[in-house]
Amino acid sequence: MQELSMFGFPIVFDPTDDRLTPAAADVSFEAYNRKYSKGMFGLLADPTYTDETEPYYDFYKAIGRDGERAAFKARALRYDSTVIMQGAAGGEFKKTAGHFHCEVPGKGMSYPEYYQVIKGTAVFVMQKVKDEHTEGRMLVEDCLIAEVKAGQAIVIPPNYGHCTVNVSDETMVFVNLVAESSQNDYAGVKRSVGMCCYILQAENGGYRIQKNPHYDFACEPKAVTPADSDALGIYQNKPVYSEYLRTPPKFDYLTSPENNMKDYFLVFRAK
């Protein structure tokens, strides 16, 4: 069992089954779900991949200390965790399904979302398209490929779809802080056979980026890494759970994103 102190409360990881377990009586989660490879069909770079039973990722909804849940609900936020297993399907690293967020009522933009990697290394694929609701081919106007290591964090900007990829040689764990009202829209990504870029195993180790041929591109994908941001509450190796409890108002941008539009992009540095 491995203790994961970056959670901000007692959680251990069991490498024998890739599951998280609360390590204190007052730590719990509201729901749990495991997604298998069958649920990823239609989203993968390799359409010939047919294994239906390979574990892909686990989702833990509203995980935390029972006595601290009210502090998150007071600002209509939720703290979740996702565990992506090690491995690949047809040479493509395991990933989440990918989605867009719904619009914040009256704001003309979608909800942002805070992500922090707890264990391993993640690649976040973020895409801004002309119209995610089109029935035709989506046109990519911006694409950010962010490599995020354990202890680092990013915020998905408003109006960007995204997915998370495990490029580690181990199971990868991350957490998110998101508005309770934020709903995920998977339809456009599903119609397009995944996100606009696939993250594939490289022949010499590491990973490579491959454009998804089901999209049109008005830009080239940009490889970036994250930097700290006081405005967004991003501090390397400091649990966002603890930072939120220390200064809740700092995270109001997750429900009112319009006041921080420049800050979302200042956290990205060219790789």
Side-chain angles (χ1 to χ4, degrees), residues 204-251:
N204 60 347
Y207 62 89
R208 62 184 179 90
I209 301 165
Q210 177 178 293
K211 289 182 180 178
N212 181 341
H214 298 90
Y215 287 79
D216 293 325
F217 286 81
C219 66
E220 290 298 316
K222 297 189 287 286
V224 298
T225 56
D228 285 1
S229 168
D230 184 66
L232 301 179
I234 295 176
Y235 310 105
Q236 186 167 346
N237 295 322
K238 291 187 177 181
V240 63
Y241 187 92
S242 304
E243 290 301 312
Y244 172 80
L245 292 174
R246 189 171 65 86
T247 55
K250 180 170 286 189
F251 296 87

mmCIF file of all heavy atoms in Angstrom, residues 204-251:
data_model
loop_
_atom_site.group_PDB
_atom_site.id
_atom_site.type_symbol
_atom_site.label_atom_id
_atom_site.label_comp_id
_atom_site.label_asym_id
_atom_site.label_seq_id
_atom_site.Cartn_x
_atom_site.Cartn_y
_atom_site.Cartn_z
ATOM 1 N N ASN A 204 11.385 4.951 -29.389
ATOM 2 C CA ASN A 204 12.559 5.060 -28.520
ATOM 3 C C ASN A 204 12.186 5.332 -27.063
ATOM 4 O O ASN A 204 12.989 5.804 -26.267
ATOM 5 C CB ASN A 204 13.487 6.166 -29.031
ATOM 6 C CG ASN A 204 12.802 7.530 -29.066
ATOM 7 O OD1 ASN A 204 11.582 7.604 -28.946
ATOM 8 N ND2 ASN A 204 13.571 8.584 -29.235
ATOM 9 N N GLY A 205 10.937 5.031 -26.702
ATOM 10 C CA GLY A 205 10.447 5.342 -25.366
ATOM 11 C C GLY A 205 9.751 6.690 -25.358
ATOM 12 O O GLY A 205 9.818 7.457 -26.318
ATOM 13 N N GLY A 206 9.073 7.003 -24.278
ATOM 14 C CA GLY A 206 8.334 8.253 -24.221
ATOM 15 C C GLY A 206 7.072 8.190 -25.057
ATOM 16 O O GLY A 206 6.493 7.129 -25.273
ATOM 17 N N TYR A 207 6.644 9.349 -25.570
ATOM 18 C CA TYR A 207 5.401 9.400 -26.326
ATOM 19 C C TYR A 207 5.554 10.335 -27.516
ATOM 20 O O TYR A 207 6.462 11.143 -27.606
ATOM 21 C CB TYR A 207 4.242 9.853 -25.442
ATOM 22 C CG TYR A 207 4.394 11.253 -24.876
ATOM 23 C CD1 TYR A 207 3.931 12.370 -25.573
ATOM 24 C CD2 TYR A 207 4.990 11.467 -23.638
ATOM 25 C CE1 TYR A 207 4.065 13.652 -25.060
ATOM 26 C CE2 TYR A 207 5.138 12.744 -23.118
ATOM 27 C CZ TYR A 207 4.672 13.825 -23.825
ATOM 28 O OH TYR A 207 4.821 15.101 -23.321
ATOM 29 N N ARG A 208 4.635 10.175 -28.460
ATOM 30 C CA ARG A 208 4.571 11.070 -29.608
ATOM 31 C C ARG A 208 3.127 11.491 -29.831
ATOM 32 O O ARG A 208 2.187 10.806 -29.420
ATOM 33 C CB ARG A 208 5.144 10.410 -30.864
ATOM 34 C CG ARG A 208 4.410 9.162 -31.324
ATOM 35 C CD ARG A 208 5.108 8.511 -32.511
ATOM 36 N NE ARG A 208 4.430 7.292 -32.948
ATOM 37 C CZ ARG A 208 3.473 7.262 -33.857
ATOM 38 N NH1 ARG A 208 3.066 8.401 -34.436
ATOM 39 N NH2 ARG A 208 2.905 6.115 -34.204
ATOM 40 N N ILE A 209 2.964 12.633 -30.477
ATOM 41 C CA ILE A 209 1.652 13.216 -30.722
ATOM 42 C C ILE A 209 1.251 12.941 -32.164
ATOM 43 O O ILE A 209 2.021 13.203 -33.094
ATOM 44 C CB ILE A 209 1.674 14.736 -30.459
ATOM 45 C CG1 ILE A 209 2.089 15.027 -29.012
ATOM 46 C CG2 ILE A 209 0.315 15.366 -30.777
ATOM 47 C CD1 ILE A 209 2.488 16.471 -28.777
ATOM 48 N N GLN A 210 0.052 12.426 -32.350
ATOM 49 C CA GLN A 210 -0.458 12.164 -33.700
ATOM 50 C C GLN A 210 -1.806 12.844 -33.869
ATOM 51 O O GLN A 210 -2.725 12.641 -33.072
ATOM 52 C CB GLN A 210 -0.602 10.661 -33.941
ATOM 53 C CG GLN A 210 -1.188 10.305 -35.301
ATOM 54 C CD GLN A 210 -1.261 8.808 -35.521
ATOM 55 O OE1 GLN A 210 -0.247 8.137 -35.629
ATOM 56 N NE2 GLN A 210 -2.467 8.262 -35.568
ATOM 57 N N LYS A 211 -1.948 13.642 -34.916
ATOM 58 C CA LYS A 211 -3.225 14.299 -35.192
ATOM 59 C C LYS A 211 -4.291 13.265 -35.531
ATOM 60 O O LYS A 211 -4.028 12.283 -36.226
ATOM 61 C CB LYS A 211 -3.087 15.286 -36.343
ATOM 62 C CG LYS A 211 -2.292 16.534 -36.039
ATOM 63 C CD LYS A 211 -2.280 17.435 -37.269
ATOM 64 C CE LYS A 211 -1.500 18.702 -37.042
ATOM 65 N NZ LYS A 211 -1.465 19.548 -38.253
ATOM 66 N N ASN A 212 -5.495 13.519 -35.060
ATOM 67 C CA ASN A 212 -6.652 12.691 -35.387
ATOM 68 C C ASN A 212 -7.164 13.103 -36.775
ATOM 69 O O ASN A 212 -7.560 14.253 -36.972
ATOM 70 C CB ASN A 212 -7.737 12.909 -34.318
ATOM 71 C CG ASN A 212 -8.974 12.079 -34.533
ATOM 72 O OD1 ASN A 212 -9.239 11.587 -35.619
ATOM 73 N ND2 ASN A 212 -9.771 11.934 -33.488
ATOM 74 N N PRO A 213 -7.185 12.183 -37.742
ATOM 75 C CA PRO A 213 -7.572 12.548 -39.110
ATOM 76 C C PRO A 213 -9.048 12.902 -39.263
ATOM 77 O O PRO A 213 -9.458 13.345 -40.351
ATOM 78 C CB PRO A 213 -7.225 11.295 -39.921
ATOM 79 C CG PRO A 213 -7.299 10.169 -38.940
ATOM 80 C CD PRO A 213 -6.812 10.751 -37.641
ATOM 81 N N HIS A 214 -9.841 12.749 -38.220
ATOM 82 C CA HIS A 214 -11.261 13.079 -38.299
ATOM 83 C C HIS A 214 -11.536 14.551 -37.978
ATOM 84 O O HIS A 214 -12.702 14.960 -37.920
ATOM 85 C CB HIS A 214 -12.060 12.171 -37.358
ATOM 86 C CG HIS A 214 -11.966 10.719 -37.718
ATOM 87 N ND1 HIS A 214 -10.981 9.905 -37.206
ATOM 88 C CD2 HIS A 214 -12.704 9.943 -38.548
ATOM 89 C CE1 HIS A 214 -11.132 8.677 -37.687
ATOM 90 N NE2 HIS A 214 -12.158 8.677 -38.508
ATOM 91 N N TYR A 215 -10.472 15.332 -37.740
ATOM 92 C CA TYR A 215 -10.588 16.773 -37.486
ATOM 93 C C TYR A 215 -9.921 17.549 -38.611
ATOM 94 O O TYR A 215 -9.026 17.047 -39.294
ATOM 95 C CB TYR A 215 -9.878 17.160 -36.185
ATOM 96 C CG TYR A 215 -10.561 16.749 -34.905
ATOM 97 C CD1 TYR A 215 -10.471 15.443 -34.433
ATOM 98 C CD2 TYR A 215 -11.254 17.676 -34.121
ATOM 99 C CE1 TYR A 215 -11.068 15.064 -33.239
ATOM 100 C CE2 TYR A 215 -11.845 17.309 -32.926
ATOM 101 C CZ TYR A 215 -11.754 16.009 -32.484
ATOM 102 O OH TYR A 215 -12.351 15.640 -31.295
ATOM 103 N N ASP A 216 -10.328 18.825 -38.763
ATOM 104 C CA ASP A 216 -9.595 19.795 -39.558
ATOM 105 C C ASP A 216 -8.837 20.709 -38.597
ATOM 106 O O ASP A 216 -9.309 20.987 -37.487
ATOM 107 C CB ASP A 216 -10.551 20.623 -40.426
ATOM 108 C CG ASP A 216 -11.225 19.775 -41.496
ATOM 109 O OD1 ASP A 216 -10.569 18.848 -42.014
ATOM 110 O OD2 ASP A 216 -12.409 20.029 -41.794
ATOM 111 N N PHE A 217 -7.668 21.183 -39.021
ATOM 112 C CA PHE A 217 -6.804 21.963 -38.141
ATOM 113 C C PHE A 217 -6.502 23.331 -38.741
ATOM 114 O O PHE A 217 -6.061 23.437 -39.892
ATOM 115 C CB PHE A 217 -5.476 21.227 -37.895
ATOM 116 C CG PHE A 217 -5.597 20.041 -36.976
ATOM 117 C CD1 PHE A 217 -6.062 18.826 -37.462
ATOM 118 C CD2 PHE A 217 -5.250 20.143 -35.636
ATOM 119 C CE1 PHE A 217 -6.175 17.722 -36.621
ATOM 120 C CE2 PHE A 217 -5.362 19.048 -34.794
ATOM 121 C CZ PHE A 217 -5.831 17.832 -35.282
ATOM 122 N N ALA A 218 -6.725 24.383 -37.936
ATOM 123 C CA ALA A 218 -6.305 25.732 -38.285
ATOM 124 C C ALA A 218 -5.082 26.128 -37.470
ATOM 125 O O ALA A 218 -4.696 27.302 -37.439
ATOM 126 C CB ALA A 218 -7.440 26.720 -38.030
ATOM 127 N N CYS A 219 -4.455 25.156 -36.809
ATOM 128 C CA CYS A 219 -3.301 25.406 -35.948
ATOM 129 C C CYS A 219 -2.486 24.126 -35.848
ATOM 130 O O CYS A 219 -2.931 23.064 -36.291
ATOM 131 C CB CYS A 219 -3.754 25.839 -34.547
ATOM 132 S SG CYS A 219 -4.637 24.512 -33.669
ATOM 133 N N GLU A 220 -1.311 24.234 -35.249
ATOM 134 C CA GLU A 220 -0.514 23.073 -34.910
ATOM 135 C C GLU A 220 -0.608 22.835 -33.406
ATOM 136 O O GLU A 220 -0.683 23.797 -32.625
ATOM 137 C CB GLU A 220 0.947 23.272 -35.324
ATOM 138 C CG GLU A 220 1.176 23.260 -36.829
ATOM 139 C CD GLU A 220 0.792 21.920 -37.447
ATOM 140 O OE1 GLU A 220 1.140 20.873 -36.872
ATOM 141 O OE2 GLU A 220 0.135 21.937 -38.514
ATOM 142 N N PRO A 221 -0.615 21.580 -32.952
ATOM 143 C CA PRO A 221 -0.615 21.321 -31.513
ATOM 144 C C PRO A 221 0.620 21.927 -30.857
ATOM 145 O O PRO A 221 1.721 21.891 -31.421
ATOM 146 C CB PRO A 221 -0.590 19.788 -31.428
ATOM 147 C CG PRO A 221 -1.106 19.325 -32.758
ATOM 148 C CD PRO A 221 -0.654 20.353 -33.756
ATOM 149 N N LYS A 222 0.442 22.496 -29.671
ATOM 150 C CA LYS A 222 1.539 23.126 -28.939
ATOM 151 C C LYS A 222 1.841 22.312 -27.682
ATOM 152 O O LYS A 222 0.939 22.107 -26.849
ATOM 153 C CB LYS A 222 1.177 24.569 -28.565
ATOM 154 C CG LYS A 222 0.959 25.477 -29.753
ATOM 155 C CD LYS A 222 0.828 26.927 -29.342
ATOM 156 C CE LYS A 222 -0.500 27.237 -28.676
ATOM 157 N NZ LYS A 222 -1.617 27.277 -29.639
ATOM 158 N N ALA A 223 3.087 21.865 -27.529
ATOM 159 C CA ALA A 223 3.502 21.125 -26.339
ATOM 160 C C ALA A 223 3.881 22.122 -25.257
ATOM 161 O O ALA A 223 4.707 23.026 -25.476
ATOM 162 C CB ALA A 223 4.678 20.224 -26.665
ATOM 163 N N VAL A 224 3.281 21.975 -24.065
ATOM 164 C CA VAL A 224 3.499 22.927 -22.972
ATOM 165 C C VAL A 224 3.712 22.179 -21.655
ATOM 166 O O VAL A 224 3.408 20.987 -21.541
ATOM 167 C CB VAL A 224 2.312 23.902 -22.827
ATOM 168 C CG1 VAL A 224 2.137 24.739 -24.089
ATOM 169 C CG2 VAL A 224 1.019 23.147 -22.510
ATOM 170 N N THR A 225 4.236 22.913 -20.680
ATOM 171 C CA THR A 225 4.363 22.424 -19.308
ATOM 172 C C THR A 225 3.774 23.485 -18.378
ATOM 173 O O THR A 225 3.683 24.661 -18.753
ATOM 174 C CB THR A 225 5.824 22.157 -18.933
ATOM 175 O OG1 THR A 225 6.592 23.354 -19.129
ATOM 176 C CG2 THR A 225 6.413 21.032 -19.776
ATOM 177 N N PRO A 226 3.370 23.101 -17.157
ATOM 178 C CA PRO A 226 2.699 24.057 -16.276
ATOM 179 C C PRO A 226 3.656 24.857 -15.397
ATOM 180 O O PRO A 226 4.756 24.420 -15.086
ATOM 181 C CB PRO A 226 1.814 23.155 -15.411
ATOM 182 C CG PRO A 226 2.587 21.879 -15.318
ATOM 183 C CD PRO A 226 3.305 21.725 -16.633
ATOM 184 N N ALA A 227 3.200 26.048 -15.016
ATOM 185 C CA ALA A 227 3.893 26.887 -14.044
ATOM 186 C C ALA A 227 2.920 27.211 -12.914
ATOM 187 O O ALA A 227 1.704 27.062 -13.057
ATOM 188 C CB ALA A 227 4.393 28.168 -14.706
ATOM 189 N N ASP A 228 3.453 27.657 -11.788
ATOM 190 C CA ASP A 228 2.602 28.040 -10.672
ATOM 191 C C ASP A 228 1.812 29.305 -11.012
ATOM 192 O O ASP A 228 2.216 30.115 -11.857
ATOM 193 C CB ASP A 228 3.430 28.292 -9.416
ATOM 194 C CG ASP A 228 3.913 27.010 -8.760
ATOM 195 O OD1 ASP A 228 3.623 25.922 -9.294
ATOM 196 O OD2 ASP A 228 4.584 27.093 -7.715
ATOM 197 N N SER A 229 0.671 29.476 -10.329
ATOM 198 C CA SER A 229 -0.162 30.661 -10.528
ATOM 199 C C SER A 229 -0.869 30.987 -9.224
ATOM 200 O O SER A 229 -1.751 30.237 -8.791
ATOM 201 C CB SER A 229 -1.190 30.431 -11.639
ATOM 202 O OG SER A 229 -2.169 31.458 -11.656
ATOM 203 N N ASP A 230 -0.494 32.082 -8.622
ATOM 204 C CA ASP A 230 -1.173 32.498 -7.387
ATOM 205 C C ASP A 230 -2.629 32.845 -7.672
ATOM 206 O O ASP A 230 -3.516 32.561 -6.861
ATOM 207 C CB ASP A 230 -0.453 33.698 -6.773
ATOM 208 C CG ASP A 230 -1.058 34.112 -5.443
ATOM 209 O OD1 ASP A 230 -0.973 33.331 -4.476
ATOM 210 O OD2 ASP A 230 -1.648 35.213 -5.387
ATOM 211 N N ALA A 231 -2.898 33.430 -8.836
ATOM 212 C CA ALA A 231 -4.260 33.829 -9.180
ATOM 213 C C ALA A 231 -5.199 32.637 -9.249
ATOM 214 O O ALA A 231 -6.386 32.746 -8.923
ATOM 215 C CB ALA A 231 -4.267 34.577 -10.506
ATOM 216 N N LEU A 232 -4.670 31.460 -9.666
ATOM 217 C CA LEU A 232 -5.496 30.263 -9.820
ATOM 218 C C LEU A 232 -5.305 29.264 -8.679
ATOM 219 O O LEU A 232 -5.902 28.181 -8.705
ATOM 220 C CB LEU A 232 -5.190 29.587 -11.160
ATOM 221 C CG LEU A 232 -5.418 30.433 -12.415
ATOM 222 C CD1 LEU A 232 -5.048 29.642 -13.663
ATOM 223 C CD2 LEU A 232 -6.858 30.934 -12.499
ATOM 224 N N GLY A 233 -4.467 29.599 -7.719
ATOM 225 C CA GLY A 233 -4.240 28.690 -6.601
ATOM 226 C C GLY A 233 -3.419 27.473 -6.984
ATOM 227 O O GLY A 233 -3.605 26.392 -6.416
ATOM 228 N N ILE A 234 -2.491 27.638 -7.933
ATOM 229 C CA ILE A 234 -1.638 26.535 -8.379
ATOM 230 C C ILE A 234 -0.262 26.693 -7.756
ATOM 231 O O ILE A 234 0.447 27.668 -8.047
ATOM 232 C CB ILE A 234 -1.526 26.498 -9.910
ATOM 233 C CG1 ILE A 234 -2.878 26.184 -10.551
ATOM 234 C CG2 ILE A 234 -0.479 25.484 -10.352
ATOM 235 C CD1 ILE A 234 -2.864 26.215 -12.065
ATOM 236 N N TYR A 235 0.107 25.764 -6.911
ATOM 237 C CA TYR A 235 1.412 25.763 -6.261
ATOM 238 C C TYR A 235 1.971 24.340 -6.311
ATOM 239 O O TYR A 235 1.325 23.405 -5.833
ATOM 240 C CB TYR A 235 1.305 26.226 -4.806
ATOM 241 C CG TYR A 235 0.538 27.515 -4.631
ATOM 242 C CD1 TYR A 235 -0.760 27.498 -4.125
ATOM 243 C CD2 TYR A 235 1.097 28.737 -4.985
ATOM 244 C CE1 TYR A 235 -1.482 28.665 -3.967
ATOM 245 C CE2 TYR A 235 0.386 29.923 -4.835
ATOM 246 C CZ TYR A 235 -0.907 29.874 -4.326
ATOM 247 O OH TYR A 235 -1.629 31.042 -4.178
ATOM 248 N N GLN A 236 3.152 24.194 -6.893
ATOM 249 C CA GLN A 236 3.732 22.866 -7.036
ATOM 250 C C GLN A 236 3.927 22.203 -5.681
ATOM 251 O O GLN A 236 4.410 22.813 -4.730
ATOM 252 C CB GLN A 236 5.061 22.945 -7.779
ATOM 253 C CG GLN A 236 5.654 21.584 -8.099
ATOM 254 C CD GLN A 236 6.794 21.670 -9.084
ATOM 255 O OE1 GLN A 236 6.989 22.690 -9.735
ATOM 256 N NE2 GLN A 236 7.550 20.597 -9.215
ATOM 257 N N ASN A 237 3.515 20.941 -5.623
ATOM 258 C CA ASN A 237 3.677 20.088 -4.440
ATOM 259 C C ASN A 237 2.863 20.550 -3.233
ATOM 260 O O ASN A 237 3.148 20.147 -2.099
ATOM 261 C CB ASN A 237 5.155 19.958 -4.052
ATOM 262 C CG ASN A 237 5.956 19.226 -5.117
ATOM 263 O OD1 ASN A 237 5.470 18.276 -5.727
ATOM 264 N ND2 ASN A 237 7.173 19.682 -5.368
ATOM 265 N N LYS A 238 1.845 21.375 -3.477
ATOM 266 C CA LYS A 238 0.914 21.751 -2.416
ATOM 267 C C LYS A 238 -0.477 21.245 -2.804
ATOM 268 O O LYS A 238 -1.000 21.623 -3.858
ATOM 269 C CB LYS A 238 0.887 23.266 -2.209
ATOM 270 C CG LYS A 238 2.173 23.812 -1.619
ATOM 271 C CD LYS A 238 2.043 25.284 -1.278
ATOM 272 C CE LYS A 238 3.300 25.821 -0.628
ATOM 273 N NZ LYS A 238 3.166 27.258 -0.268
ATOM 274 N N PRO A 239 -1.100 20.387 -1.986
ATOM 275 C CA PRO A 239 -2.409 19.829 -2.350
ATOM 276 C C PRO A 239 -3.462 20.912 -2.551
ATOM 277 O O PRO A 239 -3.642 21.775 -1.689
ATOM 278 C CB PRO A 239 -2.760 18.947 -1.141
ATOM 279 C CG PRO A 239 -1.452 18.657 -0.478
ATOM 280 C CD PRO A 239 -0.602 19.872 -0.700
ATOM 281 N N VAL A 240 -4.149 20.875 -3.685
ATOM 282 C CA VAL A 240 -5.192 21.864 -3.924
ATOM 283 C C VAL A 240 -6.323 21.722 -2.901
ATOM 284 O O VAL A 240 -6.985 22.713 -2.567
ATOM 285 C CB VAL A 240 -5.738 21.746 -5.365
ATOM 286 C CG1 VAL A 240 -6.398 20.398 -5.613
ATOM 287 C CG2 VAL A 240 -6.714 22.875 -5.651
ATOM 288 N N TYR A 241 -6.540 20.520 -2.397
ATOM 289 C CA TYR A 241 -7.565 20.321 -1.363
ATOM 290 C C TYR A 241 -7.282 21.232 -0.174
ATOM 291 O O TYR A 241 -8.172 21.933 0.330
ATOM 292 C CB TYR A 241 -7.569 18.857 -0.941
ATOM 293 C CG TYR A 241 -8.682 18.462 0.014
ATOM 294 C CD1 TYR A 241 -9.895 17.975 -0.468
ATOM 295 C CD2 TYR A 241 -8.520 18.537 1.385
ATOM 296 C CE1 TYR A 241 -10.916 17.596 0.393
ATOM 297 C CE2 TYR A 241 -9.524 18.158 2.260
ATOM 298 C CZ TYR A 241 -10.724 17.687 1.767
ATOM 299 O OH TYR A 241 -11.727 17.310 2.635
ATOM 300 N N SER A 242 -6.033 21.232 0.279
ATOM 301 C CA SER A 242 -5.648 22.052 1.432
ATOM 302 C C SER A 242 -5.660 23.531 1.087
ATOM 303 O O SER A 242 -6.063 24.370 1.918
ATOM 304 C CB SER A 242 -4.258 21.642 1.930
ATOM 305 O OG SER A 242 -4.223 20.266 2.241
ATOM 306 N N GLU A 243 -5.192 23.884 -0.118
ATOM 307 C CA GLU A 243 -5.179 25.281 -0.531
ATOM 308 C C GLU A 243 -6.596 25.843 -0.614
ATOM 309 O O GLU A 243 -6.841 26.993 -0.245
ATOM 310 C CB GLU A 243 -4.459 25.435 -1.868
ATOM 311 C CG GLU A 243 -2.970 25.218 -1.795
ATOM 312 C CD GLU A 243 -2.287 26.178 -0.842
ATOM 313 O OE1 GLU A 243 -2.561 27.386 -0.915
ATOM 314 O OE2 GLU A 243 -1.481 25.708 -0.007
ATOM 315 N N TYR A 244 -7.522 25.024 -1.105
ATOM 316 C CA TYR A 244 -8.912 25.482 -1.167
ATOM 317 C C TYR A 244 -9.452 25.763 0.232
ATOM 318 O O TYR A 244 -10.073 26.810 0.470
ATOM 319 C CB TYR A 244 -9.807 24.457 -1.860
ATOM 320 C CG TYR A 244 -11.259 24.833 -1.760
ATOM 321 C CD1 TYR A 244 -11.806 25.789 -2.612
ATOM 322 C CD2 TYR A 244 -12.081 24.293 -0.767
ATOM 323 C CE1 TYR A 244 -13.131 26.185 -2.491
ATOM 324 C CE2 TYR A 244 -13.403 24.683 -0.642
ATOM 325 C CZ TYR A 244 -13.919 25.635 -1.505
ATOM 326 O OH TYR A 244 -15.226 26.038 -1.364
ATOM 327 N N LEU A 245 -9.232 24.851 1.166
ATOM 328 C CA LEU A 245 -9.741 25.044 2.528
ATOM 329 C C LEU A 245 -9.112 26.266 3.192
ATOM 330 O O LEU A 245 -9.737 26.898 4.054
ATOM 331 C CB LEU A 245 -9.485 23.792 3.364
ATOM 332 C CG LEU A 245 -10.292 22.556 2.962
ATOM 333 C CD1 LEU A 245 -9.847 21.346 3.771
ATOM 334 C CD2 LEU A 245 -11.793 22.785 3.142
ATOM 335 N N ARG A 246 -7.898 26.597 2.790
ATOM 336 C CA ARG A 246 -7.212 27.757 3.374
ATOM 337 C C ARG A 246 -7.766 29.063 2.835
ATOM 338 O O ARG A 246 -7.950 30.033 3.588
ATOM 339 C CB ARG A 246 -5.709 27.657 3.080
ATOM 340 C CG ARG A 246 -4.848 28.678 3.809
ATOM 341 C CD ARG A 246 -3.372 28.359 3.633
ATOM 342 N NE ARG A 246 -2.957 28.485 2.244
ATOM 343 C CZ ARG A 246 -2.573 29.630 1.680
ATOM 344 N NH1 ARG A 246 -2.542 30.747 2.398
ATOM 345 N NH2 ARG A 246 -2.207 29.663 0.414
ATOM 346 N N THR A 247 -8.060 29.116 1.520
ATOM 347 C CA THR A 247 -8.557 30.354 0.899
ATOM 348 C C THR A 247 -9.634 30.032 -0.136
ATOM 349 O O THR A 247 -9.391 30.126 -1.346
ATOM 350 C CB THR A 247 -7.406 31.127 0.221
ATOM 351 O OG1 THR A 247 -6.753 30.233 -0.701
ATOM 352 C CG2 THR A 247 -6.415 31.660 1.227
ATOM 353 N N PRO A 248 -10.828 29.675 0.294
ATOM 354 C CA PRO A 248 -11.895 29.313 -0.660
ATOM 355 C C PRO A 248 -12.202 30.366 -1.714
ATOM 356 O O PRO A 248 -12.421 30.006 -2.883
ATOM 357 C CB PRO A 248 -13.101 29.045 0.244
ATOM 358 C CG PRO A 248 -12.509 28.660 1.563
ATOM 359 C CD PRO A 248 -11.263 29.496 1.690
ATOM 360 N N PRO A 249 -12.227 31.686 -1.379
ATOM 361 C CA PRO A 249 -12.597 32.665 -2.409
ATOM 362 C C PRO A 249 -11.668 32.679 -3.617
ATOM 363 O O PRO A 249 -12.081 33.099 -4.707
ATOM 364 C CB PRO A 249 -12.535 33.998 -1.660
ATOM 365 C CG PRO A 249 -12.733 33.633 -0.221
ATOM 366 C CD PRO A 249 -12.035 32.323 -0.062
ATOM 367 N N LYS A 250 -10.424 32.224 -3.454
ATOM 368 C CA LYS A 250 -9.483 32.231 -4.563
ATOM 369 C C LYS A 250 -9.965 31.358 -5.722
ATOM 370 O O LYS A 250 -9.619 31.589 -6.878
ATOM 371 C CB LYS A 250 -8.101 31.763 -4.093
ATOM 372 C CG LYS A 250 -7.040 31.747 -5.182
ATOM 373 C CD LYS A 250 -5.660 31.525 -4.610
ATOM 374 C CE LYS A 250 -5.166 32.773 -3.920
ATOM 375 N NZ LYS A 250 -3.749 32.685 -3.521
ATOM 376 N N PHE A 251 -10.824 30.381 -5.412
ATOM 377 C CA PHE A 251 -11.261 29.425 -6.413
ATOM 378 C C PHE A 251 -12.645 29.747 -6.976
ATOM 379 O O PHE A 251 -13.238 28.915 -7.660
ATOM 380 C CB PHE A 251 -11.225 28.014 -5.830
ATOM 381 C CG PHE A 251 -9.830 27.570 -5.468
ATOM 382 C CD1 PHE A 251 -9.291 27.871 -4.230
ATOM 383 C CD2 PHE A 251 -9.044 26.887 -6.387
ATOM 384 C CE1 PHE A 251 -7.997 27.486 -3.891
ATOM 385 C CE2 PHE A 251 -7.756 26.496 -6.066
ATOM 386 C CZ PHE A 251 -7.225 26.797 -4.824
#
